[in-house]
Structure formats: C-alpha cells, structure tokens
Amino acid sequence: MANDARVAIIGLGYVGLPLAIAFVEAGLEVVGVDASDGRVTELRSGASPIDDITDERLRAALDHGLRIALPAEAALAEADAIFVCVPTPIDRAKDPDLRPVIAAAELILGSLRPGHVIVLQSTTFPGTTNGPFREVLERSGMRAGVEFDLAFAPERVNPGDPASAARQVPRLVGATTPAATKRVAALLRNINDSVVEVSSPDVAEFAKILENVFRNVNIALVNQLALLCERMGIDVWEVIDAAATKPFGFMRFQPGPGVGGHCIPVDPYYLAWRARQFDFVDRFVELAGDINLAMPRHVIDLVAEALNERGKAVRGARVGVLGVAFKPDVRDARNSPAADVIAGLVGRGAVITYHDPHVPAFRAADGSTFDSHPLARVLDETDAVVILTGHRAVDWEEVYATADLVVDTVNNSRGREVRPRQVLRLGAGWAVPASTA
Ligand SMILES: NC(=O)c1ccc[n+]([C@@H]2O[C@H](COP(=O)([O-])OP(=O)(O)OC[C@H]3O[C@@H](n4cnc5c(N)ncnc54)[C@H](O)[C@@H]3O)[C@@H](O)[C@H]2O)c1
C-alpha cells in the first residue's frame, strides 16, 4: 500500500500508540480510536500514558495530523487500513478472554467496506484471525480475501527497551491470501525496514506465541534451578553468569519473584487453551506457568525465613516492598508478581508499605490498595524490606546502609556492601560480606 494510505488504530496502549505515532512520523494520515474516555482525553491533552513515548513526541504527532477518537465518532470508515491493538487478557480460569478483540471486530463491522485492509495485532492463539475475528467481519456479507483483506501482524515491542521498537527489528505478517500479505507488508514497510511474509495468519499468530512461550519456559527453568541452588547452597546467579560465558548455544534468563506484564504470564495460556481443543496438553506451557506462578509464594517464604532470623513472626511484622512494577525502570505494573507477594504477606498478617518511583498507587491481588511512600519512610518504618524490582531510580546505597533485613529477589545486592545476615538472596541464601568472603 502506498504511503498516502489512511490508517486507523483501535486500542491506543503500549502497542497501538507507538504504532500510530510511527505511521504519523512516516507521513501517513492516522486516526487512533480507544474505548476508554480517560485514555482519549489524556492523549488529546498531549500526555503520554506510556514510558517509551515522550509527551513531546506525542504532541509532535498530534501537531502532524494524529487524530484521537472515541469509537462512537465513526472515524474508521475513512481509513484504508485498520489495525487492532486491543488487550487479550485471560480470565480467572486462565482461559482466553477475546471480548476486546470481538468488540473491536464489531466496531469495524459498522464501517467495513470493499477494499478495506484489517490487521489484527493483538497477541492471540493460532486460529483467531481466521476464526472468531473473521466470523464477525464476514457478518457484513463481505468475504476476507475477496472484498476485504485480513491479516495478522504481531508486535514485538518490549516496553522499556527502545531498541525493541527500532525500524530494524523484523516484523511478521501473514494474511488470508498471498496478495493481501504483500499489501500489508508494503504498508508496514513505511515504518519497518524488515517485514517477513509468512503463509497465513495462523503461522504469524503461532510464531508470536512461540516467542513468548520460549521466554516463559526458560524463565521457569532458571526459577526452578534457583530453588535447587538454595537447597544446595550454591549461588544460582554465579552459575548463570558462568554458563553465559559460553559464546554459542546458551541464552541468559534470570530468576526472580515471578513473571508480569501483559505478555509472559498471559499469552502461553492462549496456546495451552487452544491445544486442548486438539486433545493436546501442552505440558511445557502448563509446567512453566505452574513454576512461575509459585514464585511469589516462595518470596513470601523467604521473607518469613528472614524475619525468623531476627526472632520475628510474619504476623505483625512491618514489611517494605521495593518495586511493584513488573520490571525495572517502567511504570507498567500489570500482572506484577508484587500483587501476589503483597496479598500473601497481608494474608499472613504482615503490615505492608511500598516504594516505587514509577508506580504511585498499587492494587494487590486481594484487592487491598496502597500508595507509594518515600524510600526513607519505608526504610525507617519496617522490620524488613523485600526487593521485587531493581529500578535504577532507587537509592540502593541508602537501602543497604539503613535496612536491617533485606530479601533480594533480583540479585540487586550483588557487588554491594552488605552486613552479615543482612541480605537473604533468592537462589543463593544469605549474602556474604566481601570482607569475610
Ligand atoms: N505490552 C506489550 O509489551 C506487548 C508487546 C507485544 C504484544 N502485545 C499485545 O498487544 C495487545 C495490546 O496490548 P497493550 O499492552 O498495548 O494493551 P494496553 O492495555 O496498553 O492498551 C490497550 C488499549 O485498548 C483499549 N481498548 C480495549 N478494548 C477496546 C475496544 N474494544 N475498542 C477500542 N479500544 C479498546 C484500552 O482502553 C487500551 O487503551 C495485546 O494483545 C498484547 O498481548 C503487547
């Protein structure tokens, strides 16, 4: 498609907003649509809700033609291509919740016309684009691959890592016909230097899930090895560092308090659910999910073990949580393991405060809500702190100088000055001060 194509993006979050801005910066006319009034108002005011897009970049895009609309404003009819970037969550039973995707398809249905190009970009199970998504669109009486084109083109952005959003990162596209694949690939080449065409939406969907299952399984592997290392009295972090000196055939993954964000704790279950429809139990996916889901409980046990060292029970202990975002230096706290760690500690009778320079307010898994306190106050008013996210913006020197007891789940204490029996490390036991090592 030529670069005078008009593009509409449905869902302006971590994926849709950068996509909209990339198309505007490439000179295309773009309208972004979001179901949330709050999100629309925020974006129209030039305030970016995500770390990777600065307010200045958003405002420049608004000045250069980016329009932000509510679904009711019927902005889709004018577009030549419509990208769908809505959430794909799981429900409490960890089954796919396609309601946002179906709602987006129903929204398009009202505006669908011959020649339209529809691209689903939300991560989902293989068979979604050609299955339930297509079925809604074809209620129009028009057929995918005949009157309109239909494709899946997954997103690879890794929030907090600007390199992941670079033009050089290859992206995949698979449509219902080879001609449609070429059409969508041409459109994407406006914003990306390397577009890889695959034979169907199913392949593109499966490839995206494979990427995330790969991460989830490997994180589970090192998490399990961390538990083994604790029993064996071996430092898992040193083991991983040592293994990572191999220049081929090994890829480094880190243990931690669990997995978070919109992707890794969610997407593998889309595949597991789909596999069951083919009488196939995806044991790797289920096992990895199980191991990673259990990590917050292990962190709670580590906090109990650390308090025990000081002759304290968890009940009544004041515990400070450092970092509730699901990874360092971002404000994204969706599905963060901190939600389960805090709920579990509250359940055992601990009194929780937290500090996170990026997340001003946080809701734990039991529904209790907290506001971020200044670091000094958390350090002063608690018996122990547990580090769940190693944000660079935290004054770690102050943490280790002030805290009596630290549970370190992310290897934050490595190389720092610590006191004997001050820091209990996930996967490694009590940190040994350099002077006595
Ligand atoms: N966040 C990531 O790092 C990442 C990376 C790759 C792929 N993905 C995938 O991209 C998709 C979107 O994820 P995200 O992180 O951008 O989500 P998000 O929650 O940040 O943004 C989604 C936006 O869609 C809006 N929305 C929801 N339903 C809507 C509807 N029916 N119509 C219009 N707007 C609607 C929401 O209000 C929200 O603003 C998911 O499938 C996710 O798995 C995410």
Side-chain angles (χ1 to χ4, degrees):
M1 285 180 94
N3 70 354
D4 58 355
R6 291 159 302 174
V7 173
I9 317 264
I10 302 180
L12 298 172
Y14 282 88
V15 167
L17 183 60
L19 182 72
I21 290 179
F23 274 125
V24 172
E25 290 173 349
L28 280 73
E29 203 180 299
V30 180
V31 58
V33 177
D34 200 285
S36 156
D37 288 0
R39 176 61 49 99
V40 167
T41 308
E42 187 180 23
L43 291 173
R44 280 178 177 163
S45 77
S48 169
I50 65 175
D51 297 288
D52 294 338
I53 300 289
T54 61
D55 291 350
E56 291 69 35
R57 201 166 157 215
L58 170 60
R59 286 189 193 132
L62 291 167
D63 288 346
H64 287 88
L66 173 61
R67 270 198 308 131
I68 309 287
L70 282 163
E73 291 170 46
L76 301 179
E78 305 149 22
D80 301 302
I82 303 174
F83 286 77
V84 174
C85 307
V86 297
T88 41
I90 46 177
D91 63 19
R92 283 206 62 79
K94 304 213 177 295
D95 287 340
D97 175 0
L98 277 191
R99 281 177 298 178
V101 167
I102 297 302
E106 286 169 345
L107 178 63
I108 296 169
L109 186 59
S111 312
L112 195 64
R113 57 172 169 75
H116 248 149
V117 176
I118 313 299
V119 185
L120 180 59
Q121 188 150 345
S122 303
T123 308
T124 183
F125 56 79
T128 308
T129 307
N130 239 335
F133 191 67
R134 177 179 185 152
E135 280 160 24
V136 174
L137 297 175
E138 291 192 340
R139 276 195 236 143
S140 62
M142 290 182 267
R143 287 152 303 161
V146 182
E147 283 88 6
F148 68 95
D149 284 331
L150 177 61
F152 184 78
E155 174 57 60
R156 286 180 161 157
V157 71
N158 176 18
D161 173 12
S164 72
R167 287 184 68 99
Q168 296 77 14
V169 176
R171 51 179 308 155
L172 306 176
V173 57
T176 56
T177 64
T181 303
K182 295 219 169 316
R183 210 174 156 206
V184 178
L187 179 59
L188 289 171
R189 285 193 185 99
N190 284 296
I191 57 169
N192 200 286
D193 294 338
S194 170
V195 180
V196 179
E197 298 173 27
V198 299
S199 64
S200 66
D202 299 40
V203 170
E205 288 164 334
F206 211 143
K208 172 65 191 176
I209 292 250
L210 168 60
E211 292 165 20
N212 286 353
V213 166
F214 175 82
R215 281 189 61 73
N216 197 42
V217 164
N218 281 286
I219 293 168
L221 173 66
V222 288
N223 275 334
Q224 200 187 44
L225 296 182
L227 304 187
L228 175 62
C229 280
E230 280 177 18
R231 292 203 192 176
M232 296 177 76
I234 296 171
D235 181 337
V236 74
W237 307 93
E238 194 182 351
V239 170
I240 293 169
D241 283 348
T245 60
K246 184 178 177 186
F248 52 89
F250 183 83
M251 189 178 282
R252 184 192 185 91
F253 287 87
Q254 307 268 81
V259 288
H262 189 308
C263 300
I264 305 303
V266 174
D267 304 342
Y269 292 106
Y270 271 66
L271 184 60
W273 178 88
R274 185 67 169 146
R276 289 198 296 276
Q277 297 188 325
F278 293 83
D279 290 334
F280 190 96
V281 177
D282 197 327
R283 292 200 294 275
F284 260 121
V285 168
E286 307 259 357
L287 176 64
D290 209 25
I291 292 170
N292 290 335
L293 273 176
M295 290 310 289
R297 284 169 193 259
H298 181 63
V299 173
I300 295 164
D301 287 344
L302 288 177
V303 173
E305 184 183 336
L307 288 166
N308 188 54
E309 183 74 7
R310 299 288 192 276
K312 289 196 171 97
V314 178
R315 182 162 302 284
R318 297 163 307 164
V319 179
V321 172
L322 301 183
V324 295
F326 86 92
K327 64 179 181 179
D329 308 323
V330 301
R331 68 179 106 161
D332 189 352
R334 292 176 298 174
N335 301 317
S336 169
D340 284 331
V341 171
I342 292 176
L345 287 168
V346 168
R348 289 205 199 179
V351 179
I352 302 295
T353 49
Y354 89 87
H355 171 71
D356 189 313
H358 300 287
V359 185
F362 187 69
R363 179 184 291 272
D366 61 355
S368 47
T369 52
F370 300 84
D371 290 328
S372 178
H373 286 338
L375 178 63
R377 189 166 151 202
V378 171
L379 294 173
D380 281 352
E381 296 180 359
T382 56
D383 302 301
V385 293
V386 53
I387 302 171
L388 299 182
T389 318
H391 292 305
R392 277 177 299 193
V394 172
D395 183 347
W396 296 108
E397 306 251 311
E398 188 187 350
V399 171
Y400 292 98
T402 311
D404 175 47
L405 205 48
V406 179
V407 175
D408 173 15
T409 68
V410 291
N411 202 24
N412 175 280
S413 53
R414 160 80 49 97
R416 298 188 194 274
E417 270 192 39
V418 301
R419 301 187 292 281
R421 305 302 249 193
Q422 181 197 18
V423 180
L424 184 59
R425 301 166 65 216
L426 181 141
W430 290 98
V432 181
S435 52
T436 60

